Amino acid sequence: MGCRRRRHGAFLSPWTLGDLTVTRFGYGAMQLAGPRVMGPPADRDGALAVLREAVGLGITHIDTADAYGPHFTNRLIREALHPYSDALHLVTKVGATRDEEGGWPPAREPVELRRAVTENLENLGLDTLDVVNLRLGDARGPVPGSLAEAFGTLVDLQREGLVRHLGVSNATAEQVAEARAIAPIVCVQNMYNLAHRDDDALIDELAGQGIAYVPFFPLGGFGPLQSSALTAVADRLDATPMSVALAWLLQRSPNILLIPGTSSVAHLRENVTGAGLRLSDDDLAELEKIGA
C-alpha cells in the first residue's frame, strides 16, 4: 500500500515561531473575502463557520492581512474568534494595499507600514500582533532590492511593543539574508508547491536555522496543480490530488508550515484529512519528477 493515514495529531504537530507554538497545518483566511479578495463574503455565516471549524479542528495558526477585503477578513476573524484562545496565533502581513481595480500596489513607506500595523491591530482587536510579515515584490513575484528602510520600520514597531515577531514574504534569498542581518525573523512566506520549486535551497537553509517556511499557493494558486504524476499517485492512494500535494509539502521539510485557504467547511475538513496522508518513498520519487 502506498501510504497510510495518520491521526490529526501527527500533522498538527507543533512548530515554534520565536516564543509562539503553532500547528504545522494552519489556515489561510484570504478566501473569506469577496470575489478577487474584495468586499464582504457572499456567505458571511459560512465564513464565520469556517473560522470556528478551523479552531475546532485544533488549528492554532491563522494567516491573514488587513488588505484582504480590505478589512473584512480581519473583522470576520475578530467576530468569530475574539476573545482569542491563548493557544491561537494570528500571523498577518503588511507592505501592500488595494486599489479600486482590485490590484495590490505596494505600500512600504514608513507611514504606510505604521498605518497598516495599526489597522491590523484595530480590526483584529489586539494590542500586539503575534507575527508580521513584510510583503515585498509585486503580484508577479519577488523583485530584487534592499528592504532595509521598510524592514527597519517594522523593527521600530516591534521595539514599541506593537509587533512580537517578524518575517518576510514574496522575498528573494538575498532579501531574506538582509532581513536577518537587521533583526531576527521567524518565518519566510513565499510561493512554493510541487510544480514551483525555486526555493528548494532556501527551504533547506532555513530549516537548518530553525526558521519556518510558509508556502503560499501550496495548491497551485488561482489555477489548481495539474500533473499526470500527481493524479497517478492520488489514484493509487484513493485520495485527491490536492490532498497529495499538501501531504508532500509536510514531508518535504519539517520547517514547512501550511496555510491552505478555503471558504468551505467541507473543503477545510478535506484539506485537514488529506494532509494526514503518509507518502511512501516510491510516491515521493514519482512526485519529485513534477518539480524537475
Side-chain angles (χ1 to χ4, degrees), residues 48 158 172 252:
L48 297 172
Q158 184 182 43
T172 66
R252 164 63 180 83

Side-chain angles (χ1 to χ4, degrees), residues 33-230:
R36 298 185 303 153
V37 200
M38 290 289 285
D43 181 0
R44 182 174 168 280
D45 289 341
L48 297 172
V50 168
L51 289 163
R52 291 167 179 149
E53 179 68 9
V55 172
L57 290 169
I59 289 170
T60 64
H61 172 198
I62 293 179
D63 181 84
T64 186
D66 207 58
Y68 298 162
H71 313 308
F72 285 102
T73 294
N74 277 356
R75 290 169 183 168
L76 285 167
I77 291 171
R78 180 175 184 172
E79 181 177 352
L81 303 175
H82 195 277
Y84 305 112
S85 160
D86 290 342
L88 180 64
H89 299 296
L90 306 179
V91 176
T92 189
K93 65 181 67 65
V94 296
T97 186
R98 307 305 304 278
D99 59 29
E100 293 181 357
E101 290 73 39
W104 301 80
R108 293 190 285 270
E109 294 298 320
V111 66
E112 294 172 316
L113 293 172
R114 285 185 169 274
R115 182 188 307 119
V117 166
T118 298
E119 289 175 346
N120 274 279
L121 287 167
E122 290 176 350
N123 287 314
L124 289 169
L126 292 168
D127 296 321
T128 303
L129 298 172
D130 283 336
V131 182
V132 173
N133 287 310
L134 174 63
R135 172 77 174 185
L136 299 164
D138 57 29
R140 294 167 293 182
V143 176
S146 176
L147 52 64
E149 182 180 23
F151 194 71
T153 298
L154 293 187
V155 172
D156 290 342
L157 291 164
Q158 184 182 43
R159 290 172 179 155
E160 293 168 22
L162 300 179
V163 176
R164 184 168 284 113
H165 298 293
L166 300 173
V168 293
S169 176
N170 206 30
T172 66
E174 292 75 18
Q175 288 167 336
V176 172
E178 184 183 15
R180 294 184 61 201
I182 296 170
I185 63 172
V186 298
C187 57
V188 173
Q189 189 180 109
N190 277 3
M191 180 177 177
Y192 184 83
N193 54 53
L194 262 171
H196 191 280
R197 303 277 302 274
D198 292 350
D199 275 357
D200 273 334
L202 179 60
I203 289 170
D204 295 337
E205 177 186 348
L206 295 174
Q209 301 296 326
I211 297 172
Y213 185 93
V214 188
F216 63 77
F217 292 159
L219 300 178
F222 296 109
L225 287 168
Q226 295 185 14
S227 162
S228 57
L230 178 59

